[in-house]
Every structure is written in C-alpha cells, then in structure tokens.
Amino acid sequence: MVKLAIGSIGDSFSVGSLKAYLAEFIATLLFVFAGVGSAIAFSKLTSGAPLDAAGLVAVAVAHAFALFVGVSMAANVSGGHLNPAVTFGLAIGGNITLLTGVFYWVAQCLGSIVACFLLKFVTSGEAIPTHGVASGMTGLEGVVMEIIITFALVYTVYATAADPKKGSLGTIAPIAIGFIVGANILAAGPFSGGSMNPARSFGPAVAAGDFSQNWIYWVGPLIGGGLAGLVYGDIFIGSYAPLPAAEDYA
C-alpha cells in the first residue's frame, strides 16, 4: 500500500531540510562530474571513437566508485539519494514526504546541470555525452530496460539502507548501491545507456541542448523506483512482525 505523505512547508524549509538539499546538490554534482567526466575522458583518449568494451568497463567503474563516495558523504545529512528515482521510491514507502522530495529533485537536477557546465568549461568545450537508446531500439524498449535496472537499484537501497531490520548490513549500503549501478551500466550501457537516474540524464541534456530522448530517463527510472518502493515497502517492511529472539536475524 502506497504510504505517500504530502508534508508541510515548515518541515521542508527547516534548517535540517535546507542542509539536506545542499548535501544532495553537492553530492550529485560530484557524482555526475566524475561519471560524465569519465565518458568525456574516454572520448578524448580515443579521439572520439565509439564506446568499446574497455570504455564501458571504465565508465561503469567510474560511476560505481563515484556513487559509493557520493552516497557515503551525504548519507548522514540527506540520506544520500543523489537520484530522483531513489527519492521517489523512498517517498512511495513513506520514508520522505512528497514536498521535501520535490526539493530533493530540484537540488539533484541543479547539481547535475552545474556539473555538466563545469565539465564543458574545464575541458575547453568538449561535447557533453547524452543518454539515448541504441540504434534499432525503440523508446519503449529503452523505458523497459530503465524500469528493470532502476528497480534493482532502488530495491538495493531499500534492502541495505531503508529496511529497519538491516542491522550491520547498513554499513555496506553505499558499496552495494555503487556496485549495483556499476553492474547495471555494464548490462544496459550498450542498449539504453544505463542511466537509472533522471538527474544524471537531465544535466547532460541541458548542457548539450538535446532533450530528444530525455523523457525515457524520467519515465523508466521513476516507474522502476516506484515499483521497488511498493514491493519492498509493502511485502517486506510492511509485513514485519516481532519474532522470537532466536529467529531474529537483524
């Protein structure tokens, strides 16, 4: 059952909330700078050659490492979302109010946009690569791919960070989240681009002025994130009941 809460202006503009927005802005900026920067670096080193297997691995590893660090640095302040799909999935499960979630989205998208314009400046105007589906794929196929991989990401967030019974597993949450993103990029990169993150796709689209396929990276990730919130929040967290001490694995 969806647990959406609207929230209040007072809560969304409290000192703690404002700090959370700033943390999301900074962490998303640094994540996107490293992630998009890795793709630009590959293009620079290969004189604009198409992304090959080695380049895909390098980009996936860069995203995995950058997200691991980004989630770690923001976790204690904002929860370390860095992704509108994660924020939406957590809102579905009642972990954040809709109003505060909207401000998280704004901070995340602004962080991504600033990161991409900074990359254009420091690389002397190198082209900012945007997400798009592979030749021969339809937009619907791209949406389904993004739904699946974003479901995996947000499900991992729930299992390792948002589950009240996570116990010591919570200490490895940033690593697990980074790993699933890296793995999903390896699997989906040649097809949909492996975004899983509307902000990660929106910033490059703004910097490049190309929104032709950007809708895919909002529709797919938001559906996938929302489904993960419903499944994990309702089936697992929603059904928790006290267990005998001998069976408590928390």
Side-chain angles (χ1 to χ4, degrees), residues 2 32 58 65 74 91 142 153 172 180 182 192 196 202 216-217 227 230 246:
V2 178
V32 173
F65 284 177
L153 167 60
I172 69 163
I180 191 61
S192 70
M196 299 162 276
F202 185 69
I216 295 171
Y217 305 101
L227 286 173
L230 281 173

Side-chain angles (χ1 to χ4, degrees), residues 178-229:
F179 277 8
I180 191 61
V181 164
N184 282 340
I185 291 174
L186 290 175
F191 303 102
S192 70
S195 172
M196 299 162 276
N197 186 335
R200 165 64 182 81
S201 298
F202 185 69
V206 171
D210 180 6
F211 296 92
S212 58
Q213 298 189 56
N214 193 245
W215 66 273
I216 295 171
Y217 305 101
W218 283 92
V219 175
L222 291 179
I223 292 175
L227 286 173

Side-chain angles (χ1 to χ4, degrees), residues 24-37 40 107-123 126 128-129 199-200 202-204 206-207:
E24 286 292 307
F25 170 80
I26 294 171
T28 306
L29 187 158
L30 297 177
F31 163 63
V32 173
F33 189 91
V36 177
I40 295 174
Q108 292 155 358
C109 288
L110 284 176
S112 181
I113 292 169
V114 172
C116 291
F117 277 108
L118 285 174
L119 280 167
K120 286 190 74 170
F121 175 73
V122 299
T123 61
E126 289 284 338
I128 302 296
R200 165 64 182 81
F202 185 69
V206 171

Side-chain angles (χ1 to χ4, degrees), residues 47-248:
S47 301
L51 193 68
D52 59 13
L56 176 63
V57 171
V59 169
V61 169
H63 280 79
F65 284 177
L67 188 59
F68 161 49
V69 174
V71 171
S72 297
M73 68 172 64
N76 291 336
V77 181
S78 66
H81 298 189
L82 282 68
N83 183 339
V86 170
T87 300
F88 181 64
L90 291 172
I92 291 291
N95 292 278
I96 185 173
T97 65
L98 282 177
L99 188 56
T100 297
V102 167
F103 288 115
Y104 267 53
W105 281 22
V106 172
Q108 292 155 358
C109 288
L110 284 176
S112 181
I113 292 169
V114 172
C116 291
F117 277 108
L118 285 174
L119 280 167
K120 286 190 74 170
F121 175 73
V122 299
T123 61
S124 300
E126 289 284 338
I128 302 296
T130 58
H131 279 130
V133 299
S135 177
M137 282 187 68
T138 66
L140 178 59
E141 290 169 337
V143 167
V144 173
M145 177 71 84
E146 289 294 319
I147 289 173
I148 295 168
I149 60 177
T150 309
F151 179 93
L153 167 60
V154 178
Y155 192 91
T156 301
V157 170
Y158 262 93
T160 61
D163 190 326
K165 296 189 72 178
K166 63 184 180 295
S168 60
L169 185 64
T171 60
I172 69 163
I175 300 175
I177 293 166
F179 277 8
I180 191 61
V181 164
N184 282 340
I185 291 174
L186 290 175
F191 303 102
S192 70
S195 172
M196 299 162 276
N197 186 335
R200 165 64 182 81
S201 298
F202 185 69
V206 171
D210 180 6
F211 296 92
S212 58
Q213 298 189 56
N214 193 245
W215 66 273
I216 295 171
Y217 305 101
W218 283 92
V219 175
L222 291 179
I223 292 175
L227 286 173
L230 281 173
V231 171
Y232 203 101
D234 278 0
I235 296 177
F236 298 109
I237 296 176
S239 63
Y240 282 161
L243 297 172
E247 299 179 48
D248 190 353

